[in-house]
Amino acid sequence: MGKIQMTTPLVEMDGDEMTRILWKMIKDELLLPYIDLKTEYYDLGLEHRNETDDKVTTESAEATLKYGVAVKCATITPNAARMTEYNLKEMWKSPNGTIRAILDGTVFRTPIVVKGIEPCVKNWEKPITLARHAYGDVYKNVEIKVPGAGKAELVFTAEDGTEIRETIHNFTDAGIIQGVHNTNKSITSFAKSCFNYALDTKQDLWFATKDTISKKYDHTFKDIFQQIYEDEYKEKFEAAGIEYFYTLIDDAVARIMKAKGGFIWACKNYDGDVMSDMVSSAFGSLAMMTSVLVSPSGVFEYEAAHGTVQRHYYKHLKGEETSTNSVATIFAWTGALRKRGELDNIPELMAFADKLEKATIQTIESGKMTKDLALITSLKDVTVLNSQNFIKAIAETMETL
Ligand code: NAP
Ligand code: MG
């Protein structure tokens, strides 16, 4: 049998540490034997970002706008320790932040549910999909370390020169201030992608902010969602038998714990970052969560929701065995390949993506898994595999399907 042919390249964004090791194994064992893989390769590994003054990150996002579908490996967001470790010229910004600022849109994260890994919240019967706004707020902030006494002000200067001015605080001593923003345009596209995704997947949509405390900032999110819902989606939701529901973020958190799942929870950027880690961990493992950025211009970027698994990488460097879960990274590839197949009308590519996902799930359900899952599974007779052998086991399951 010949390999599956592709017509348009995927934008391939390579990354760092343990996930970079998994990236190559996945390509070698699970993709290249079956697909004549066409990608436009961007190396977002920290060393190459540093060499290119981070231009490679921007270029990869621009390529995504051009081709429409990207697949991204986890990347290091540098901090002080990484500055020394990698001898960086600058503390480069979070690649995800840079990419999301260019693509805009919403990140949808859904747990990958397998038999034998039950969520630790007993009443969660169905997956909870997190919709994270991917633009602005603290991810595009400006901060100042206030050195001493003085007045901090928030000033907006309109194009005609008129000013709006508010006092933030009269400092009597050192402190800190932070300026964050969002745009009505981005909030609108966030709202629309959430409503569309809810209709597509026939699930209720929950949205929550802290509008009681943030009476202008968060309240604007609430108002824009409500307006768009009433103007464009109310009837469609009613026809589909689904609900849009707004509540305070603290109330949402309390209700989520009592809910059965099977809905979408829309969150502002920071809430989505934190809550998706909580939801994915509660469903089993950070490595069992898919993540896709859907931009208002209709481009898609698929990735794993977890980081570069640094602790495992250091073990790997010391020559020790690792048992790192590659499921989320595999699903990033299958998501991207399926979407490419859909857009280019290549049914074999879509079928391949389905098959690889099925093989991955079957492998785990047959008792072969990585250590993170073995620790929490209710299955008996489990075989714990190392990083490489887990991927090889999936390749073997592929042959049986
Ligand atoms: P992490 O890489 O998500 O790992 C945190 C811990 O979660 C690991 O130490 C491991 O626990 C467990 N874990 C996560 N993924 C796993 C997997 N695939 N298989 C098995 N266990 C897994 O987060 P981090 O250690 O806080 O961050 C490391 C680097 O990743 C940082 O430089 C950060 O900037 C970056 N990061 C990138 C992204 C992204 O690119 N999307 C997202 C988050 C963080 P045990 O050690 O207990 O086994
Ligand atoms: Mg996070």
Side-chain angles (χ1 to χ4, degrees):
M1 274 246 303
K3 290 187 188 182
I4 300 167
Q5 296 297 312
M6 297 174 62
T7 46
T8 317
L10 275 178
V11 177
E12 176 184 352
M13 304 168 173
D14 207 346
D16 288 300
E17 300 195 311
M18 201 58 212
T19 40
R20 188 180 179 99
I21 309 283
L22 298 178
W23 194 258
K24 184 167 187 313
M25 290 179 188
I26 292 169
K27 283 175 69 177
D28 289 346
E29 303 280 344
L30 301 175
L31 305 177
L32 293 170
Y34 305 95
I35 306 174
D36 201 357
L37 197 64
K38 252 193 181 175
T39 73
E40 193 164 292
Y41 180 85
Y42 291 87
D43 183 1
L44 267 52
L46 186 51
E47 278 162 10
H48 193 240
R49 273 183 275 148
N50 192 50
E51 278 161 25
T52 62
D53 294 337
D54 206 23
K55 285 198 183 63
V56 65
T57 307
T58 307
E59 284 164 9
S60 72
E62 281 161 358
T64 308
L65 286 175
K66 176 175 165 197
Y67 292 112
V69 187
V71 56
K72 180 180 173 291
C73 180
T75 46
I76 293 169
T77 298
N79 55 16
R82 302 294 198 170
M83 291 288 288
T84 340
E85 184 183 355
Y86 285 85
N87 195 16
L88 300 180
K89 296 184 220 168
E90 240 180 74
M91 203 187 288
W92 307 110
K93 294 204 164 169
S94 151
N96 285 326
T98 304
I99 294 166
R100 286 170 197 159
I102 294 172
L103 303 183
D104 198 355
T106 306
V107 179
F108 293 92
R109 289 187 173 165
T110 308
I112 302 159
V113 178
V114 297
K115 286 192 211 90
I117 314 284
E118 280 79 30
C120 52
V121 179
K122 287 195 292 291
N123 42 285
W124 287 359
E125 291 165 9
K126 293 178 184 167
I128 294 170
T129 295
L130 243 125
R132 172 182 171 188
H133 187 206
Y135 178 82
D137 302 349
V138 74
Y139 300 86
K140 273 275 159 193
N141 69 353
V142 180
E143 303 183 331
I144 297 176
K145 268 185 182 250
V146 173
K151 182 177 173 184
E153 288 182 290
L154 198 57
V155 183
F156 169 76
T157 314
E159 277 178 346
D160 69 3
T162 48
E163 279 185 359
I164 305 174
R165 191 177 283 267
E166 292 278 348
T167 301
I168 298 170
H169 190 64
N170 284 304
F171 284 91
T172 53
D173 205 343
I176 40 179
I177 50 177
Q178 179 181 63
V180 299
H181 80 277
N182 224 300
T183 67
N184 289 5
K185 184 167 170 249
S186 178
I187 300 167
T188 300
S189 65
F190 170 40
K192 288 188 178 179
S193 31
C194 292
F195 289 128
N196 287 335
Y197 200 83
L199 281 171
D200 272 358
T201 57
K202 290 230 178 341
Q203 299 184 86
D204 289 348
L205 175 67
W206 297 23
F207 181 44
T209 72
K210 193 71 179 172
D211 64 287
T212 47
I213 298 298
S214 172
K215 292 187 193 317
K216 292 193 175 124
Y217 198 100
D218 278 19
H219 215 290
T220 299
F221 279 81
K222 176 184 177 180
D223 292 343
I224 289 178
F225 266 69
Q226 192 61 36
Q227 191 68 49
I228 292 175
Y229 177 64
E230 274 160 28
D231 290 351
E232 298 175 39
Y233 290 95
K234 194 162 189 281
E235 282 169 23
K236 291 180 197 158
F237 267 53
E238 282 165 3
I242 57 172
E243 204 187 342
Y244 168 60
F245 164 67
Y246 178 87
T247 187
L248 259 187
I249 185 85
D250 6 5
D251 180 49
V253 170
R255 282 173 189 248
I256 293 279
M257 286 299 158
K258 310 264 176 192
K260 287 195 162 35
F263 54 86
I264 300 159
W265 181 16
C267 290
K268 288 176 60 201
N269 209 345
Y270 174 80
D271 298 339
D273 183 354
V274 181
M275 291 305 164
S276 71
D277 283 355
M278 186 195 73
V279 169
S280 64
S281 309
F283 268 103
S285 159
L286 272 178
M288 297 296 284
M289 185 105 165
T290 64
S291 182
V292 56
L293 172 71
V294 181
S295 95
S297 60
V299 312
F300 299 82
E301 184 230 339
Y302 293 83
E303 57 167 357
H306 59 77
T308 60
V309 213
Q310 180 181 16
R311 212 178 60 82
H312 295 207
Y313 181 60
Y314 288 170
K315 277 175 71 178
H316 170 84
L317 287 182
K318 280 193 263 167
E320 291 171 31
E321 191 167 76
T322 61
S323 180
T324 314
N325 188 331
S326 45
V327 172
T329 308
I330 294 171
F331 274 63
W333 275 101
T334 53
L337 290 167
R338 184 185 295 106
K339 181 55 77 179
R340 201 61 274 169
E342 228 175 273
L343 295 174
D344 296 343
N345 194 18
I346 309 172
E348 312 86 79
L349 201 54
M350 291 155 73
F352 172 81
D354 292 345
K355 189 171 155 182
L356 180 49
E357 288 182 1
K358 192 171 165 195
T360 305
I361 289 171
Q362 261 191 27
T363 304
I364 298 170
E365 290 181 346
S366 77
K368 293 177 188 158
M369 58 188 80
T370 45
K371 195 172 154 196
D372 56 319
L373 297 183
L375 286 171
I376 56 170
T377 184
S378 58
L379 295 175
K380 309 281 175 259
D381 297 326
V382 164
T383 314
V384 180
L385 298 176
N386 66 30
S387 307
Q388 175 98 44
N389 286 344
F390 176 63
I391 290 171
K392 282 192 193 291
I394 296 171
E396 281 164 22
T397 312
M398 281 286 276
E399 294 304 323
T400 68
L401 293 178

